[in-house]
Amino acid sequence: MTGWELAAICAAGLVAGAINAVVGSGSLITFPTLVALGVDPVTANVSNTIGLVPGSYTAAYGYRAELSGQRERLLRLGAASALGALIGGILLLFLDPDVFEFVVVVLIAVACVLVMTQPRLNAWVAARREEPRAHGGAALWAGVLASGIYGGYFGAAQGVLLIGLLGIFLDDGLQRVNAAKNVLALIVNGVAALLFVVVAEVDWAAVAGVALGAIAGGFLGARVGRRIPARVLRAIIVFVGLMAIIVLVYG
């Protein structure tokens, strides 16, 4: 890998790390970059997941103030994310890549609808809920598990899916939901990365390039994202989700 190619990967990692901190879908930047530079698609996916782990950590750390009081919630939901990531990673290694193509597009579209309608859905759910559920109940746990499977398999736009789910089932502000999303995405990427390091072929130069950029991008995205008003953040989430659909369908 040449110096210019490594620089391009670092730049893609920087943008992806920032996008992941604010919304998710950073893999839609780094994954195509790796493939365009000649990395095998499956190896690119594996290397990208490993490389984004440090950026996921810096993004979660940047939102540490918004994580206050969410420890028990994240322990519960984190177990679903970890299990889902393990299943998704195994599917990536042994399943035909075309199997999830249609499902991925549908999931992102559903997540965008959830984000757009979140305030009304929150009111509707609250009016019919006998008592508040600080952890979202079994439905949210199952949804986070499914999102973890998708994240372990490919990962692009898993943040959009998580924000849509958490925003609907949790009685909390969007910035705190985004903070929780960053932690759950970190768990998914981390578990999948551990699996891939043990059993998959990894391009370590690509990993290093993505990681270097993602670390800086995660800090930058967290600093910016925490200052974005809820309506603006919701609009950004939907926009990125729609772009993800376009890329996956036509890219």
Side-chain angles (χ1 to χ4, degrees):
M1 184 174 294
T2 68
W4 286 109
E5 289 174 335
L6 185 59
I9 294 173
C10 286
L14 174 67
V15 176
I19 292 175
N20 281 340
V22 178
V23 183
S25 303
S27 289
L28 293 177
I29 305 295
T30 47
F31 176 73
T33 300
L34 295 178
V35 173
L37 293 174
V39 182
D40 172 77
V42 174
T43 303
N45 194 15
V46 166
S47 304
N48 178 63
T49 297
I50 299 172
L52 287 176
V53 171
S56 298
Y57 174 79
T58 57
Y61 182 78
Y63 273 87
R64 59 192 179 282
E66 287 76 12
L67 289 172
S68 176
Q70 299 198 63
R71 182 176 182 274
E72 186 176 351
R73 169 191 294 172
L74 290 173
L75 286 174
R76 290 170 181 260
L77 297 178
S81 289
L83 178 60
L86 184 61
I87 296 171
I90 292 173
L91 290 176
L92 173 66
L93 297 175
F94 296 104
L95 213 58
D96 186 334
D98 294 333
V99 171
F100 270 49
E101 185 173 342
F102 175 73
V103 176
V104 165
V105 172
V106 172
L107 284 174
I108 297 173
V110 170
C112 289
V113 172
L114 290 176
V115 171
M116 286 188 293
T117 59
Q118 179 190 330
R120 292 186 180 182
L121 285 174
N122 280 352
W124 183 85
V125 172
R128 288 157 179 77
R129 193 163 47 201
E130 295 181 0
E131 60 183 32
R133 292 184 176 180
H135 311 300
L140 177 58
W141 199 93
V144 171
L145 173 66
S147 179
I149 294 173
Y150 167 56
Y153 184 84
F154 180 43
Q158 70 164 314
V160 177
L161 296 175
L162 283 170
I163 289 178
L165 288 166
L166 298 173
I168 295 304
F169 288 99
L170 298 179
D171 184 18
D172 219 336
L174 190 57
Q175 292 291 0
R176 283 175 56 80
V177 164
N178 197 32
K181 175 268 294 181
N182 284 336
V183 173
L184 296 179
L186 169 61
I187 292 172
V188 171
N189 289 339
V191 170
L194 288 174
L195 173 66
F196 296 154
V197 167
V198 174
V199 301
E201 182 179 348
V202 180
D203 186 326
W204 289 106
V207 169
V210 171
L212 287 173
I215 290 171
F219 272 122
L220 177 63
R223 289 179 65 87
V224 173
R226 294 175 66 241
R227 293 169 171 79
I228 298 177
R231 287 187 178 182
V232 177
L233 182 58
R234 191 171 286 113
I236 294 173
I237 293 166
V238 173
F239 175 78
V240 172
L242 293 176
M243 291 301 100
I245 292 173
I246 292 172
V247 170
L248 290 171
V249 172
Y250 297 105

